[in-house]
Amino acid sequence: MRIAIMGSGGVGAYVGSRLQAAGEDLVFIARGAHLAALQKDGLRVESPVHPLHLPTVNAVQEPSMAGPVDLIIFAVKLGDTETAARSLAPMLGTETRILTLQNGIDSVDLITPHIGAAKVRGGVIYVSAVIDRPGVIRSPGGLHVIVADAAHGDPVMADFFAACARATALDAKPSDAIAVTLWEKFIALTSLSGTTSLLRASMGQILAHPETRILQRQLVDEAVAVGRAAGQVTRTDLADEIMAKLAGMPYAFRSSMSEDLERGKPLELRWLSGRVHALGLEYGVPTPGHSAVYRGLVLYENGKPA
């Protein structure tokens, strides 16, 4: 397959590196110092499990430099979604598919007006990966799983699942109920992003203290309640399952939003705890924990305040 990574940050570059190492034809869309490092020194993944160095990668600044591809893995920050979606035309062929691995529950709806619903596939990824420095992705290990829309046997998606099966440290599972999957990932992500960002702490530190562990469970429970009010969550054991998964994460695990906060970058706050806060108001579901996270971080939403 010829695959473009639209947004070669932590998640995009991690997925692309694994697919290129497995023999796929990759092109990375990047910018700034990260792009320059990719073009000069290749791409490196630093991880205690399956580290990787690709001495040469095809990295370009604009989609117009990439040419048509079979699949676009869309991994830009949510605030850049519509601008990025409008730029994809030079990479689109008649059978090209866009697989979004963005956070939150709004990605497909944000991309579709610019591309068309027939080409966009929803997906989620469970991996911790951030740009440590230009050209270098840092991952502490743990999960490296993609769940994506099977789209009733769409051959492009079937080829993608087969490519992931050939890769190391990258698992992909087809789903016929991707809306439910998106919501379940959203509940977990918004809750762990909220605590690790607001408390400036790792998941291990948060779960080790009884008070912050209670806060973590509160955020999970609130998001589950909002999901049920929206008609998207039904499993009675979902909150317990999420807490068990959080307990199984590496002690040093932190969300990408907490990393962005530390570096003074814009946050995806409005699509995470801010989204729970807004949905709580819409459906009449109390969300005091997520509302506090949203209000406590909103001054940093566009980066470090002047």
Side-chain angles (χ1 to χ4, degrees):
M1 297 185 77
R2 188 154 201 267
I3 302 172
I5 304 297
M6 186 64 186
S8 300
V11 166
Y14 180 92
V15 174
S17 69
R18 298 302 183 187
L19 290 171
Q20 180 171 323
E24 305 305 319
D25 181 7
L26 268 290
V27 55
F28 296 83
I29 314 299
R31 58 190 177 186
H34 189 47
L35 171 62
L38 293 174
Q39 293 173 331
K40 181 176 182 288
D41 300 316
L43 174 58
R44 188 181 298 273
V45 177
E46 294 183 346
S47 175
V49 182
H50 303 297
L52 175 65
H53 180 217
L54 300 172
T56 303
V57 297
N58 181 12
V60 298
Q61 183 170 331
E62 301 293 341
S64 59
M65 302 174 181
V69 298
D70 302 304
L71 177 69
I72 300 169
I73 295 177
F74 196 87
V76 304
K77 291 292 187 181
L78 280 160
D80 298 326
T81 299
E82 295 186 89
T83 299
R86 287 192 293 268
S87 75
L88 297 180
M91 297 193 292
L92 298 178
T94 57
E95 300 301 321
T96 304
R97 298 291 181 263
I98 296 94
L99 171 61
T100 173
L101 297 181
Q102 292 176 290
N103 294 328
I105 51 175
D106 300 298
S107 179
V108 171
D109 290 339
L110 291 171
I111 298 170
T112 293
H114 307 285
I115 304 299
K119 289 185 175 293
V120 184
R121 303 287 178 258
V124 302
I125 184 167
Y126 301 91
V127 68
S128 176
V130 297
I131 297 177
D132 185 73
R133 54 195 184 277
V136 179
I137 305 303
R138 172 170 48 84
S139 175
L143 293 175
H144 40 70
V145 177
I146 293 171
V147 182
D149 188 358
H152 307 291
D154 182 330
V156 175
M157 294 306 297
D159 287 346
F160 168 71
F161 294 125
C164 291
R166 294 189 291 270
T168 299
L170 184 66
D171 302 318
K173 302 175 182 179
S175 172
D176 292 319
I178 196 63
V180 174
T181 305
L182 286 167
W183 260 93
E184 292 186 357
K185 164 68 182 296
F186 170 69
I187 289 166
L189 178 67
T190 191
S191 302
L192 69 89
S193 293
T195 53
T196 57
S197 300
L198 186 67
L199 300 174
R200 277 73 164 177
S202 73
M203 185 51 58
Q205 291 170 315
I206 290 163
L207 296 182
H209 194 287
E211 291 297 331
T212 49
R213 184 182 181 89
I214 289 171
L215 174 61
Q216 185 66 74
R217 178 61 189 242
Q218 178 184 345
L219 295 189
V220 172
D221 286 341
E222 289 178 7
V224 168
V226 165
R228 290 196 175 122
Q232 295 292 340
V233 179
T234 57
R235 288 198 290 132
T236 57
D237 61 346
L238 179 59
D240 290 336
E241 181 182 310
I242 289 172
M243 289 299 293
K245 287 182 178 178
L246 296 182
M249 288 179 169
Y251 185 90
F253 176 86
R254 294 172 59 197
S255 67
S256 60
M257 191 168 83
S258 71
E259 298 269 3
D260 288 340
L261 176 67
E262 183 176 283
R263 299 178 185 195
K265 294 183 177 181
L267 309 181
E268 294 184 326
L269 182 64
R270 74 176 66 181
W271 293 279
L272 297 175
S273 283
R275 192 76 163 97
V276 177
H277 166 76
L279 287 169
L281 294 175
E282 179 180 344
Y283 290 109
V285 176
T287 61
H290 280 286
S291 297
V293 170
Y294 174 63
R295 290 165 177 155
L297 295 173
V298 72
L299 293 180
Y300 300 87
E301 185 173 20
N302 297 316
K304 188 174 293 184

